């Protein structure tokens, strides 16, 4: 039977995944108070690290990471999955600080310790870091592993990163096909009327525009604006920005000249 701390942690993880950071924080504080063992406390602190990173509070993330690491090293040892998760979290914090080389080093240290279930998500992180460092061959290899071995959410993120990689290399048709595949997966996971679906369509529109396919870009943005209007409302700032982009695409289709860049 799950303890109240386990239930609170599970609820907090759901809130964290949905971006409800304030709710997640409240649940995690309660879970920490009720945790009955050092490793359960460490599991809650693990979530607190991720919460603080998502909230942009790197100092608080570092505080919880050091406490989490201390408990896990003392009670689970330096070589197992618990220690591996600490190295994974350390890499995520360094990535949030823009320290991509250091993040990649941390994730490389984490991999041998982690379970098979956790490794695809780490490969995803490593692929993103390699992409930021301009290491295209390594990025493609890491992202392909994440795509092929990960759960659907990890595979979706890997596909989006691969599309970005191939677009940057000028492989526009490959990038657009990959992003269309990703958008379809996102709709299956989150539903067609979701913020995640709108985000995928906006990314697809950007890739199509970069490839010079303005008609496909406008088609994707039309769908994104429709979804955002239903999810966030027509007066939301994000909906308005997407609508402005769509208007610019329609202007280009009508033959209006591009606006010259500001000097």
């Amino acid at each position: 039977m799950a303890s109240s701390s386990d239930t609170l942690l599970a609820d907090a993880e759901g809130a964290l995944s949905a971006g409800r950071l304030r709710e997640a924080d409240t649940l995690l504080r309660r879970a920490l108070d009720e945790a009955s063992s050092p490793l359960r406390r460490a599991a809650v602190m693990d979530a607190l690290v991720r919460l603080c990173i998502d909230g942009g509070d790197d100092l608080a993330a570092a505080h919880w990471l050091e406490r989490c690491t201390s408990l896990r090293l003392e009670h689970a040892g330096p070589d197992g999955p618990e220690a591996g998760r600490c190295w994974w979290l350390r890499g995520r914090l360094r990535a949030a600080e823009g320290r991509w080389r250091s993040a990649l080093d941390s994730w490389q240290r984490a991999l041998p310790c982690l379970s098979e279930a956790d490794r695809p998500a780490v490969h995803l992180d490593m692929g993103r870091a390699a992409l930021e460092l301009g290491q295209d061959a390594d990025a493609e290899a890491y992202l392909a592993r994440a795509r092929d071995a990960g759960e659907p959410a990890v595979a979706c993120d890997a596909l989006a990163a691969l599309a970005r990689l191939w677009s940057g290399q000028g492989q526009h048709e490959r990038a657009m096909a990959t992003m269309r595949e990703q958008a379809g997966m996102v709709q299956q996971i989150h539903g067609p009327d979701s913020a995640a679906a709108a985000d995928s369509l906006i990314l697809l529109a950007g890739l199509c525009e970069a490839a010079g396919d303005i008609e496909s870009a406008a088609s994707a943005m039309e769908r994104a604006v429709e979804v955002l209007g239903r999810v966030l409302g027509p007066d939301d700032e994000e909906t308005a920005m997407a609508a402005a982009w769509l208007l610019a695409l329609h202007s280009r289709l009508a033959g209006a000249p591009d606006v010259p860049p500001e000097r």
Side-chain angles (χ1 to χ4, degrees):
M1 182 177 178
S3 68
S4 60
S5 177
D6 291 341
T7 301
L8 288 165
L9 178 56
D11 290 344
E13 292 283 8
L16 187 56
S17 296
R20 302 192 303 273
L21 302 188
R22 183 173 298 180
E23 177 185 346
D25 182 73
T26 299
L27 291 166
L28 288 171
R29 303 288 176 165
R30 291 174 56 195
L32 191 61
D33 287 340
E34 297 187 22
S36 58
S37 72
L39 289 179
R40 292 311 300 160
R41 289 178 61 81
V44 177
M45 292 175 188
D46 183 308
L48 282 165
V49 175
R50 290 178 279 120
L51 169 71
C52 293
I53 292 172
D54 288 353
D57 192 343
D58 294 347
L59 286 177
H63 164 77
W64 289 116
L65 177 58
E66 292 311 311
R67 291 187 62 184
C68 177
T69 301
S70 178
L71 284 174
R72 282 175 165 165
L73 290 180
E74 180 180 355
H75 296 279
D79 301 318
E82 298 275 0
R85 280 198 62 88
C86 291
W87 281 110
W88 183 10
L89 289 171
R90 192 171 300 277
R92 290 192 63 186
L93 177 56
R94 288 170 176 171
E97 296 167 342
R99 299 164 60 193
W100 294 105
R101 167 51 60 191
S102 181
L104 194 54
D105 290 343
S106 295
W107 290 325
Q108 287 170 337
R109 184 160 181 176
L111 266 179
C113 303
L114 289 169
S115 67
E116 288 293 332
D118 281 335
R119 288 179 186 175
V122 181
H123 282 134
L124 172 63
D125 286 336
M126 295 173 76
R128 287 168 166 166
L131 192 55
E132 292 290 338
L133 292 167
Q135 300 172 358
D136 286 6
D138 287 342
E140 185 169 353
Y142 289 135
L143 292 170
R145 291 178 196 170
R147 175 198 62 199
D148 295 340
E151 62 181 17
V154 172
C156 276
D157 288 344
L159 285 169
L162 283 167
R164 174 187 164 196
L165 169 65
W166 291 326
S167 179
Q169 293 175 339
Q171 299 186 61
H172 295 300
E173 291 297 329
R174 189 180 189 187
M176 288 189 292
T178 300
M179 201 61 217
R180 289 189 179 99
E181 179 185 355
Q182 195 266 4
M185 288 183 65
V186 168
Q187 289 187 30
Q188 289 181 350
I189 296 170
H190 299 285
D193 279 349
S194 63
D199 289 343
S200 290
L201 290 167
I202 290 169
L203 287 172
L204 175 58
L207 291 175
C208 292
E209 185 176 21
D213 187 349
I214 307 305
E215 186 173 349
S216 293
S219 176
M221 279 304 301
E222 284 175 357
R223 287 182 286 154
V225 170
E226 290 172 0
V227 173
L228 288 172
R230 289 191 290 268
V231 174
L232 301 177
D235 298 325
D236 184 85
E237 182 179 359
E238 188 173 347
T239 307
M241 290 175 63
W245 185 357
L246 175 59
L247 182 62
L249 291 170
H250 280 311
S251 295
R252 292 182 65 182
L253 284 172
D258 292 339
V259 177
E262 294 183 3
R263 294 185 180 274

